Amino acid sequence: MAGTQPLQKKTIVKKRTKRFARHQSDNFIRVPESWRKPKGIDGRVRRRFRGTIPMPSVGYGSNKKTRNIHPNGFKSAVVNNVDELEMLMMHNRTYAATIAHRVSSRVRRAIIERAEQLAIRVTNAAAKLRAEEDA
């Protein structure tokens, strides 16, 4: 439901938005960019020398109050059926339902209908729903 507003809308501040690049991934095609921790005994990156690429560390973590929160202000909960949607009834200002990928269009329609009654926001409400061809 579009009318439900989050309980508290706090601005989300990310300490770093760029992905951490793997050491020497810019030099060789055979080395992919996905992060791997350097393990060599003489590695400059592992020893954190000045001028080398940064390594992921606990200091880059997000604020606990804004962690796992979408830009719309809600946390996400994956829902497979109407019964799982009922669990979000008391938390409709904190969690938004996301309908699972494998759910059929018939069950999807039932979930969306029940979510409107319970005032629960559904993030992917328009997915896999075609307009009725009764006209």
Side-chain angles (χ1 to χ4, degrees):
M1 185 174 177
T4 309
Q5 295 299 318
L7 199 58
Q8 60 186 69
K9 188 89 161 101
K10 199 169 184 335
T11 52
I12 300 167
V13 178
K14 303 277 187 190
K15 292 181 186 166
R16 181 183 168 94
T17 54
K18 276 173 42 176
R19 292 178 65 89
F20 288 97
R22 185 174 175 180
H23 181 48
Q24 292 191 335
S25 65
D26 52 344
N27 296 349
F28 303 105
I29 295 173
R30 66 178 177 263
V31 180
E33 278 201 15
S34 59
W35 174 254
R36 295 291 184 275
K37 184 169 172 55
K39 299 223 168 50
I41 55 170
D42 293 330
R44 300 181 313 156
V45 176
R46 182 188 60 79
R47 291 158 67 189
R48 297 198 176 101
F49 281 11
R50 230 176 357 171
T52 59
I53 61 169
M55 287 205 311
S57 65
V58 74
Y60 287 107
S62 298
N63 182 353
K64 257 188 193 174
K65 291 180 179 171
T66 60
R67 195 178 298 160
N68 301 321
I69 292 182
H70 287 267
N72 63 11
F74 288 97
K75 290 183 178 180
S76 185
V78 179
V79 170
N80 288 298
N81 52 42
V82 181
D83 291 338
E84 290 180 7
L85 187 74
E86 304 282 340
M87 290 192 296
L88 301 178
M89 190 185 335
M90 299 301 292
H91 308 286
N92 63 349
R93 303 277 306 278
T94 308
Y95 288 92
T98 302
I99 303 172
H101 177 258
R102 63 180 171 268
V103 176
S104 68
S105 59
R106 179 179 61 84
V107 175
R108 203 171 273 267
R109 245 180 260 128
I111 290 172
I112 292 167
E113 185 181 320
R114 184 67 177 136
E116 284 179 10
Q117 294 169 1
L118 298 174
I120 296 172
R121 168 91 61 101
V122 179
T123 55
N124 56 350
K128 286 191 182 179
L129 289 180
R130 248 183 279 167
E132 294 293 325
E133 298 174 15
D134 294 334

